[in-house]
Amino acid sequence: MEKTKFTLDEKDMPTQWYNIQADLPEPLPPLRHPQTMEPTILPPPLFCDEINKQEFSTERWIDIPEEVQAIYRTWRPTVLHRAHRLEKALDTPAKIFYKYEGTSQAGSHKPNTAVAQAYYNKKAGIKRLTTETGAGQWGSALSMGCMFFGIELKVYMVKVSFYQKPYRRILMETWGATCVPSPSPDTKTGQAVLARDPECTGSLGMAISEAVEDAATHDDTKYSLGSVLNHVLLHQTVIGLETKKVMMEQADTYPDIIVGCIGGGSNFAGMYLPFVKDKIDGTKPDLRIINVEPTSCPTVTKGLYAWDYGDVAGLAPIALMYTLGHDFIPPPVHAGGLRYHGMAPIICHLHKLGFVEARAVPQLATFEAGITFARSEGIVSAPETNHAIRVTIDEALKCKETGEAKTILLAHSGHGHFDMAAYEAYLSGKLKDYDYPEEKVKEALAHLPQVPQS
Amino acid sequence: MEKTKFTLDEKDMPTQWYNIQADLPEPLPPLRHPQTMEPTILPPPLFCDEINKQEFSTERWIDIPEEVQAIYRTWRPTVLHRAHRLEKALDTPAKIFYKYEGTSQAGSHKPNTAVAQAYYNKKAGIKRLTTETGAGQWGSALSMGCMFFGIELKVYMVKVSFYQKPYRRILMETWGATCVPSPSPDTKTGQAVLARDPECTGSLGMAISEAVEDAATHDDTKYSLGSVLNHVLLHQTVIGLETKKVMMEQADTYPDIIVGCIGGGSNFAGMYLPFVKDKIDGTKPDLRIINVEPTSCPTVTKGLYAWDYGDVAGLAPIALMYTLGHDFIPPPVHAGGLRYHGMAPIICHLHKLGFVEARAVPQLATFEAGITFARSEGIVSAPETNHAIRVTIDEALKCKETGEAKTILLAHSGHGHFDMAAYEAYLSGKLKDYDYPEEKVKEALAHLPQVPQS
């Protein structure tokens, strides 16, 4: 019997997060202040001290507080699967492994940082958090995190999703959070938008502005972000640390290729940062790491490596990253988590330095891959994850051609049980591909902030 | 650090199912033929030979075919959790454990038998299966089972659910099954109903009749049932076998009380049959096993122990069981899986003999318990499971009063990610309790089949 599942005992779970900033061959360019454009730390009113500290830390290992570990243990460690049935369906000599984050209570990897952020804010005496959410993945995960530590949470959810996709909103409320459609009458930003256009269906950028304004104007309230920033990626390294340990100790192997999808980048960086370390220090020079993004929002493959705002309204810090322009609005692909104009600065930095690569795939091909996965491994995956599955299958089929038995590791970010409408669109032939919106990107890239040379 | 999760290594998973029929102090009363009312085996055209054999077997251990074990390993063994946070929230000295089946690809325990049934039919050369489904739990699980073995599947889904709850239908289609609203124009039964009433919204009994007619009138086609029957309960014993082993070997404990919900009974019997054995043979005389059902469909607590048809149309075999009458239609509680007029004969037999007890709980109280569970353990549970959680909490609160540190084991049948509309109804105050429909039950019980004394 060949093993199918590899799991750590909970006593062997990581007790520290891995901070790549300790091992970068060149340090990460510092963020710039959105108004002054000078090098800065995160705007202090938004995040609590410990989070700010982690954002800029260059310590290699950062202790996971026992209180956070205790919550992790309600669903972690997650399982590393060997995809025997997918391999057979593809008739490939490749060995395919996937680390599956869909067994968390929220159905994705997002709680890994939500729990940590809620903890640090609680410890700092913060009574209330605000955040924004698009389709609801992050909003629901943070609702769960805040529930665990007894913090109040208000989520500004893009209005069109609030009404069209009520299930994740209800999930937030089940965990005790308050969720309102954005633009809302609860903030000056929202009021201004509604005065101009009462029918406005909202955008993620607008929701960020509302959440930030709310946090900045209320006592004991901070803001929380679910991706992109260094501390978020740091918390997600539990994925890669668990995987590396269980893969080397139980499966006695090391990946040749690691594949994952990137939107803000936290899930996949969480997987590969503990591995890319081995490429940086030269012990695994041939390791390939493939960031997968949608062709309709190809931040790394087609974007500019430039200074840009993290949000649409220009309130968030300016980062050096691949970007399609902060006011670029991507086509409405179902992978809502991959519709971001920028990318985690750490991922961009590693890409620029040549340690990781990127590939863009079109929507229809991702669902085709998702169906193949569902009909071999059984798991119906999130549309975001289907992007990673597409490239995993492509790489496995290359192995079939060349006869190489490569070890491919897939970062599987979550289940698709809240995304069945997207599967219906695909199965009924209504799903379509979107061309790369070249003109819109060109226009958006004309509005980049002009950052002075340091 | 106190342990939170207990898991077997996959090499220690059960390789045989446990058959309670070997250890019953009195044998199970045989089924009766729906037409002749004579003792019978299952109507032969409906099930394949191996399934029929298992239904009546008195062998204690039945090998799980390696092909089925291989599929089980794609999600099993499931995790036994210690509910530290729930215990703390209740401030109880009780130790609460729960075995969580929600991490299967379908989100519930149903695949345990779906995979086995698909395998045996495949082995018997059957090309196609039919089944019925209400809200879609069983239909989706069998779709997954049939996908794994390359069998065609047609699911007759109650029409009102087909249109109101499309997500589980799409899940079935994602795994490759065909799903039609029942009544359908595809069977004579359906045609007749539609001729009388083109707007008919269907019922589970009607869908069973269509699925049975389809199987009986097509070559290479058999019918499959997801609960109630002995072979279904047999396949589900993997739950209890895993739990018993991991609880005794890793948690070093044995339950004082086991709690679960019963609709057709397969999930909870699958948990407790390997334990009730110890009560029957006298080694654990004090073990308590509590079957939980809705007050609006209180089959065991208020029903008659009598011979009745398994289905509304009177096509299924007649069983001696607790029943509310085969044409009783229960109120529309959200726990669709608990809306069945009868109960697994094995459970009824064990109840009649005094080895297990039953308790009925009202809908609102189950959701209140479900919210407590979601806000302590994080898991948002299926409405069916909330019934079991209600009684688990009640028993834990009794321990608080008496100061007893009892060990309570909860059979957690699945997540509620497809049931968010029910949570919304509860959270918005729109959910209501239903009185026990005494008059309707009285009327239904007047239509029991008149079985001759044997």
Side-chain angles (χ1 to χ4, degrees):
Chain A
M1 172 188 123
E2 262 201 297
K3 267 182 82 93
T4 309
K5 295 172 90 191
F6 305 85
T7 325
L8 294 175
D9 190 275
E10 60 179 2
K11 74 176 181 328
D12 301 320
M13 280 171 62
T15 57
Q16 297 180 309
W17 292 299
Y18 169 64
N19 183 9
I20 188 74
Q21 293 194 72
D23 292 314
L24 291 172
E26 296 175 23
L28 211 55
L31 297 174
R32 302 291 183 117
H33 191 279
Q35 275 88 48
T36 66
M37 300 200 183
E38 293 299 321
T40 181
I41 62 162
L42 296 187
L46 290 183
F47 300 92
C48 69
D49 288 348
E50 191 62 33
I51 299 276
N52 270 336
K53 206 175 119 194
Q54 290 185 353
E55 183 67 19
F56 300 98
S57 170
T58 52
E59 274 181 61
R60 182 169 292 115
W61 296 101
I62 294 181
D63 287 344
I64 308 176
E66 171 49 35
E67 293 88 336
V68 173
Q69 289 187 50
I71 305 289
Y72 278 176
R73 287 195 292 270
T74 66
W75 82 93
R76 305 203 71 84
T78 58
V79 174
L80 177 71
H81 296 254
R82 171 79 184 273
H84 290 300
R85 295 181 48 86
L86 178 61
E87 292 168 17
K88 207 173 157 190
L90 300 175
D91 189 22
T92 175
K95 295 186 184 70
I96 304 173
F97 291 82
Y98 60 99
K99 186 72 146 77
Y100 181 45
E101 292 292 305
T103 51
S104 82
Q105 300 94 324
S108 79
H109 65 288
K110 291 282 187 193
N112 294 329
T113 184
V115 166
Q117 291 191 44
Y119 167 77
Y120 287 118
N121 278 289
K122 177 74 176 185
K123 205 179 145 202
I126 305 305
K127 302 259 187 307
R128 183 171 173 273
L129 285 177
T130 65
T131 198
E132 73 289 331
T133 199
Q137 280 268 18
W138 169 242
S140 55
L142 189 61
S143 302
M144 183 177 115
C146 287
M147 172 279 289
F148 277 126
F149 291 103
I151 297 185
E152 208 183 313
L153 173 66
K154 182 158 180 181
V155 181
Y156 293 86
M157 184 171 185
V158 177
K159 195 191 268 179
V160 60
S161 296
F162 184 92
Y163 289 111
Q164 276 181 5
K165 302 181 177 180
Y167 282 11
R168 280 215 175 259
R169 164 181 62 79
I170 306 167
L171 194 56
M172 297 178 220
E173 292 168 353
T174 299
W175 280 317
T178 303
C179 178
V180 296
S182 165
S184 79
D186 303 0
T187 65
K188 286 195 176 143
T189 309
Q191 287 159 14
V193 174
L194 289 171
R196 283 197 309 274
D197 175 11
E199 304 302 316
C200 174
T201 55
S203 74
L204 200 57
M206 215 171 272
I208 294 179
S209 303
E210 287 206 278
V212 166
E213 181 192 320
D214 183 327
T217 55
H218 283 86
D219 284 343
D220 299 333
T221 299
K222 295 285 178 193
Y223 168 73
S224 170
L225 194 68
S227 196
V228 179
L229 296 175
N230 304 341
H231 67 274
V232 182
L233 275 56
L234 172 79
H235 301 153
Q236 293 290 357
T237 59
V238 287
I239 303 173
L241 293 167
E242 282 181 13
T243 306
K244 198 170 171 185
K245 189 173 168 74
V246 83
M247 217 167 168
M248 295 175 76
E249 289 178 5
Q250 291 184 27
D252 200 23
T253 187
Y254 189 96
D256 296 300
I257 306 174
I258 312 180
V259 182
C261 61
I262 51 167
S266 72
N267 141 64
F268 190 35
M271 168 61 95
Y272 74 65
L273 292 180
F275 287 96
V276 80
K277 172 183 180 296
D278 302 337
K279 187 158 179 165
I280 293 173
D281 72 16
T283 43
K284 294 287 178 184
D286 298 329
L287 171 63
R288 287 180 57 205
I289 295 169
I290 309 176
N291 293 289
V292 187
E293 55 185 15
T295 46
S296 56
C297 189
T299 313
V300 181
T301 50
K302 299 245 185 179
L304 219 58
Y305 190 61
W307 292 98
D308 199 5
Y309 297 108
D311 69 326
V312 180
L315 296 172
I318 299 170
L320 183 59
M321 60 182 176
Y322 288 93
T323 179
L324 299 169
H326 62 275
D327 53 10
F328 168 67
I329 300 197
V333 290
H334 281 277
L338 307 187
R339 295 175 71 245
Y340 182 62
H341 70 278
M343 183 51 59
I346 285 178
I347 288 186
C348 298
H349 190 63
L350 288 168
H351 187 271
K352 196 67 190 172
L353 295 174
F355 292 109
V356 301
E357 55 195 286
R359 195 178 302 174
V361 289
Q363 177 162 260
L364 281 171
T366 66
F367 274 88
E368 187 203 29
I371 293 285
T372 300
F373 196 81
R375 293 187 184 171
S376 51
E377 294 299 314
I379 294 173
V380 176
S381 311
E384 290 84 358
T385 315
N386 285 345
H387 286 69
I389 294 173
R390 173 72 272 162
V391 170
T392 300
I393 290 177
D394 290 345
E395 290 298 317
L397 291 176
K398 277 186 207 162
C399 287
K400 186 181 173 180
E401 276 177 34
T402 62
E404 289 171 289
K406 285 185 180 166
T407 296
I408 305 174
L409 171 61
L410 161 67
H412 195 303
S413 54
H415 72 55
H417 293 180
F418 287 100
D419 304 286
M420 297 316 298
Y423 280 86
E424 168 146 67
Y426 175 74
L427 291 167
S428 63
K430 285 179 199 144
L431 203 71
K432 58 172 192 169
D433 279 335
Y434 295 93
D435 290 334
Y436 167 56
E438 198 170 348
E439 281 309 308
K440 275 174 72 184
V441 171
K442 218 162 147 184
E443 199 180 309
L445 288 177
H447 306 150
L448 296 183
Q450 298 305 310
V451 171
Q453 294 297 317
S454 55
Chain B
M1 175 187 123
E2 261 201 297
K3 266 181 82 92
T4 309
K5 296 173 91 192
F6 305 85
T7 326
L8 294 175
D9 190 275
E10 61 180 3
K11 73 175 181 331
D12 300 320
M13 279 171 62
T15 57
Q16 298 181 309
W17 292 299
Y18 169 64
N19 183 9
I20 188 74
Q21 293 194 73
D23 292 315
L24 291 171
E26 294 173 26
L28 211 55
L31 298 173
R32 303 291 183 117
H33 192 281
Q35 276 88 49
T36 66
M37 299 200 184
E38 293 300 321
T40 181
I41 62 164
L42 297 186
L46 290 184
F47 299 92
C48 69
D49 287 349
E50 191 63 32
I51 298 277
N52 270 336
K53 207 174 118 194
Q54 290 185 353
E55 183 66 19
F56 300 99
S57 170
T58 52
E59 276 180 61
R60 182 168 293 117
W61 296 101
I62 294 181
D63 288 343
I64 307 175
E66 171 49 36
E67 292 89 336
V68 173
Q69 289 187 50
I71 306 289
Y72 277 176
R73 287 195 292 270
T74 66
W75 82 92
R76 307 202 70 83
T78 58
V79 174
L80 177 71
H81 296 254
R82 171 79 184 273
H84 289 299
R85 294 182 50 85
L86 177 62
E87 292 168 16
K88 206 173 158 191
L90 300 175
D91 189 22
T92 176
K95 294 184 183 72
I96 304 173
F97 291 83
Y98 60 99
K99 185 74 146 80
Y100 181 45
E101 292 291 306
T103 51
S104 82
Q105 299 94 325
S108 79
H109 65 289
K110 290 282 187 194
N112 294 329
T113 184
V115 166
Q117 292 191 44
Y119 167 77
Y120 287 118
N121 278 288
K122 176 75 175 184
K123 205 180 147 201
I126 304 306
K127 302 261 188 305
R128 183 171 173 272
L129 285 177
T130 66
T131 197
E132 73 289 332
T133 199
Q137 280 268 18
W138 169 241
S140 54
L142 189 60
S143 302
M144 182 176 115
C146 288
M147 172 278 289
F148 277 126
F149 290 104
I151 297 184
E152 210 182 309
L153 173 66
K154 182 157 176 181
V155 182
Y156 292 86
M157 184 170 183
V158 176
K159 195 192 268 178
V160 60
S161 296
F162 184 93
Y163 290 111
Q164 276 181 5
K165 302 179 177 181
Y167 282 11
R168 282 216 173 258
R169 165 181 62 77
I170 306 167
L171 194 56
M172 297 179 219
E173 292 169 353
T174 299
W175 280 318
T178 304
C179 178
V180 296
S182 167
S184 79
D186 303 0
T187 66
K188 286 193 177 147
T189 309
Q191 287 158 15
V193 174
L194 290 171
R196 283 198 307 274
D197 177 11
E199 306 301 317
C200 174
T201 54
S203 75
L204 201 57
M206 214 171 274
I208 294 180
S209 304
E210 288 206 276
V212 166
E213 181 193 320
D214 182 328
T217 55
H218 283 86
D219 285 344
D220 299 333
T221 300
K222 296 285 178 194
Y223 168 73
S224 171
L225 194 68
S227 195
V228 180
L229 296 174
N230 304 342
H231 67 273
V232 182
L233 275 57
L234 172 79
H235 302 152
Q236 293 290 358
T237 59
V238 288
I239 302 173
L241 293 167
E242 282 180 13
T243 306
K244 199 172 169 182
K245 190 174 167 72
V246 84
M247 218 167 166
M248 295 174 76
E249 290 178 5
Q250 291 184 29
D252 199 24
T253 187
Y254 190 97
D256 297 300
I257 306 174
I258 313 181
V259 182
C261 61
I262 51 167
S266 72
N267 142 63
F268 191 35
M271 168 61 94
Y272 74 66
L273 293 179
F275 287 96
V276 80
K277 172 182 179 297
D278 302 337
K279 186 158 181 164
I280 293 172
D281 72 16
T283 42
K284 294 285 178 186
D286 298 329
L287 171 64
R288 288 180 58 205
I289 295 169
I290 310 175
N291 293 289
V292 188
E293 54 186 16
T295 44
S296 56
C297 188
T299 313
V300 180
T301 49
K302 298 246 185 178
L304 218 57
Y305 190 59
W307 292 98
D308 199 5
Y309 298 109
D311 69 325
V312 182
L315 296 171
I318 299 170
L320 183 58
M321 60 182 178
Y322 289 92
T323 179
L324 299 169
H326 62 275
D327 52 11
F328 167 68
I329 300 196
V333 288
H334 280 276
L338 307 186
R339 296 176 68 246
Y340 182 60
H341 71 278
M343 184 51 58
I346 284 177
I347 288 186
C348 298
H349 189 63
L350 288 168
H351 187 271
K352 195 69 190 170
L353 294 175
F355 292 109
V356 301
E357 55 195 285
R359 193 177 304 174
V361 288
Q363 176 162 264
L364 281 171
T366 67
F367 274 88
E368 187 202 28
I371 294 285
T372 301
F373 196 81
R375 293 187 185 172
S376 51
E377 294 297 313
I379 294 173
V380 176
S381 311
E384 291 82 358
T385 315
N386 285 345
H387 287 69
I389 294 173
R390 172 73 272 163
V391 170
T392 300
I393 291 177
D394 290 345
E395 290 297 318
L397 291 175
K398 277 185 207 164
C399 286
K400 184 181 174 180
E401 276 177 34
T402 63
E404 289 171 290
K406 285 186 180 165
T407 296
I408 305 174
L409 170 61
L410 161 67
H412 195 302
S413 54
H415 73 55
H417 293 180
F418 287 102
D419 304 285
M420 297 315 298
Y423 278 87
E424 167 145 67
Y426 175 75
L427 291 168
S428 63
K430 285 178 197 143
L431 203 72
K432 59 171 191 168
D433 278 335
Y434 295 93
D435 289 334
Y436 167 56
E438 198 170 350
E439 282 308 310
K440 275 174 73 183
V441 170
K442 219 164 150 184
E443 199 180 308
L445 288 176
H447 305 150
L448 296 183
Q450 298 305 311
V451 171
Q453 296 296 317
S454 56

